[in-house]
Amino acid sequence: MKKVYRQLLNFLMAAAVLIGAGTIVNTKMSQASGDEKQDAKAGTMEVHFIDVGQGDSTLITCEGHAMLIDTGEATKGTAIQNYLQKQKIDKLDYLILTHPDSDHIGGAPVIITKFQIDKVFTSNYEKDNKTYMKLIQALDNKRLKQTTPKVGTKYSLGTAEFTILAPNNTYRNPNDASIALLLQNGKNRFLFTGDAEEDAEQDILENGLDISADVYKAGHHGSRTATSEKFFEAVSPSSAVISCGEDNSYGHPHAQTLNTFRMNGVKVYRTDEEGTIIATSDGEKITFSVPESDTWQAGEPNGTGAVWNHTKPSAGKSEAAKDEVTYILNTKSNKFHKPSCNALPEDENREDSSESRSSIIEQGYEPCKRCNP
Ligand SMILES: [Zn+2]
Ligand SMILES: [Zn+2]
C-alpha cells in the first residue's frame, strides 16, 4: 500500500512539474519560476534514480544537459526511453555503462538506438555473452566509440561536474571493474560506484581522491560485498539511495549495509519500496521527492545469495534458472566447489557463481579436490 501511495505522489508531483514549468531545467516545486538568474553559480541539478526493478539506471539533468548512468535489464530499455522522453530529453551528453552485467547494460541498445549521444563511457571489462554483443552491435550501428575514462578526469554537465574515480585496475570480477564517479553541483556531492565491491573500494581509497559525499548511491544494490567500513567512513554520506528490485533473489539490500546506515544516521531511500526517486540540488541543499524509508528491511535471498555474475544466463537457460548457483568460488585460494562441498570458503572469500564449469576454469579457478566439481 505504502509503495502505491508513494508512487502516486511521485506521479502527481511529476505531472505538476510538467504543467507548471514546461522546461526540463526549472523543475523545482518549491521555488517560484522566473528567478533562475540568482547570485549562486550552481543551477538546478536533478538526479533521477529510476525504478528499473533489480538493476540500476540513474538520469542526471542540469541546465538542459543530461547524462544516464546504466540502463537496467534489457526488459527495461523501453521504460527508460519513455521516462527520458517524458523529461523532454532527446540527447544525452554522456551514457555511462558502469560494468557489463545485464542489470546495468541490458537496456542500453534501446537507449543508443533512440537517442543522440555525445560520449559513451564503458568499463575496461569485456564479456562474450549475448547481452554484451548486443551493446557492441548497437554502438557500431550508430558509429559510436566507447572509451574507458581515466581516473581523475573531470567532465562538465551544465553547472555540475563529475570526476572519474574508477576503475583503477583490471579485475577478474566484473563488479569491481565498475566505473565510479563523484558528481558535484555547487556544494552538493553525489557518489556513484556501480557494483564495485571491497577490492575496488580499497583501490579507490588508495588513489587519494576526495570521495566524501552528501548522497551515496549504495554500491552493488546495498549488498554486503560493497560499502566496506573504511570506504563508508571516507564517504560519510548523509543520505543513501538503494536501487534494487522488490523481492529480488540476491537478498539486496543486506542487513549489514542497512545497519551501517542506520547506526550512522544516514537517511535511506529505496527504489524497491518507493519507486523512482528524484533528488534535486540547487548547489546548496538537496531535496528528495519521497520521504526517507523507515522499514530497515533487508532483502531475503531465495536460497541463492548469488553475489557475482548474478545475471549471466548461459544460452538456452530459462529466465527462472539464471540465478541458480552452480558453483561456490574461493577468491583467495582460487578453488571452486560444489555448493554441497563440506569445505566451503569463509564468507569474506566466498563468491557464489551461476556460471558454467568451463567459464569458471577460464577465469583461473581450479576444482576442489574433495568435491570434484
Ligand atoms: Zn548490479
Ligand atoms: Zn554487477
Side-chain angles (χ1 to χ4, degrees), residues 66-300:
M67 80 180 205
L68 187 67
I69 307 177
D70 288 333
T71 58
E73 291 281 357
T75 49
K76 302 296 177 181
T78 305
I80 298 170
Q81 177 199 337
N82 291 339
Y83 189 89
L84 265 54
Q85 283 167 344
K86 260 189 210 137
Q87 306 296 319
K88 303 217 163 34
I89 287 165
D90 50 18
K91 188 195 117 166
L92 292 169
D93 296 59
Y94 310 92
L95 170 64
I96 298 181
L97 302 169
T98 59
H99 69 295
D101 281 343
S102 64
D103 57 326
H104 298 256
I105 65 164
V110 174
I111 302 305
I112 290 164
T113 308
K114 300 287 182 182
F115 296 88
Q116 188 195 324
I117 302 172
D118 282 351
K119 279 201 171 71
V120 181
F121 291 148
T122 56
S123 148
N124 56 11
Y125 196 104
E126 290 175 13
K127 285 200 168 187
D128 63 354
N129 61 14
K130 256 193 195 157
T131 308
Y132 189 74
M133 290 310 156
K134 278 186 182 161
L135 163 66
I136 300 301
Q137 184 130 48
L139 289 170
D140 277 357
N141 291 344
K142 290 284 285 272
R143 292 168 199 268
L144 278 168
K145 271 203 188 120
Q146 48 162 335
T147 52
T148 305
K150 280 211 180 81
V151 171
T153 315
K154 285 185 188 331
Y155 298 90
S156 68
L157 184 82
T159 58
E161 70 171 17
F162 60 95
T163 308
I164 303 297
L165 306 173
N168 290 283
N169 213 329
T170 52
Y171 301 90
R172 216 160 18 85
N173 175 351
N175 287 340
D176 281 336
S178 290
I179 293 174
L181 60 93
L182 191 288
L183 172 72
Q184 180 151 7
N185 182 51
K187 291 179 185 158
N188 302 142
R189 294 162 64 89
F190 292 70
L191 178 66
F192 299 85
T193 58
D195 281 357
E197 300 183 34
E198 198 170 349
D199 286 350
E201 290 180 342
Q202 184 61 38
D203 291 341
I204 292 172
L205 285 176
E206 274 168 24
N207 73 23
L209 294 160
D210 180 8
I211 61 167
S212 64
D214 304 295
V215 179
Y216 168 50
K217 192 190 150 291
H220 198 196
H221 318 283
S223 161
R224 72 184 151 91
T225 59
T227 317
S228 49
E229 206 180 322
K230 285 216 171 95
F231 190 80
F232 173 79
E233 279 169 16
V235 181
S236 174
S238 49
S239 305
V241 177
I242 300 171
S243 180
C244 65
E246 215 173 344
D247 301 324
N248 67 82
S249 59
Y250 312 106
H252 300 325
H254 196 274
Q256 187 180 305
T257 312
L258 289 174
N259 274 341
T260 303
F261 293 153
R262 189 176 200 172
M263 276 165 23
N264 289 282
V266 177
K267 291 178 184 152
V268 169
Y269 301 86
R270 301 170 54 157
T271 61
D272 61 336
E273 293 181 353
E274 312 184 272
T276 294
I277 296 160
I278 305 168
T280 305
S281 149
D282 64 4
E284 289 286 333
K285 61 180 193 314
I286 298 164
T287 48
F288 283 86
S289 62
V290 296
E292 61 186 284
S293 165
D294 54 10
T295 65
W296 303 107
Q297 191 169 356
E300 277 174 37

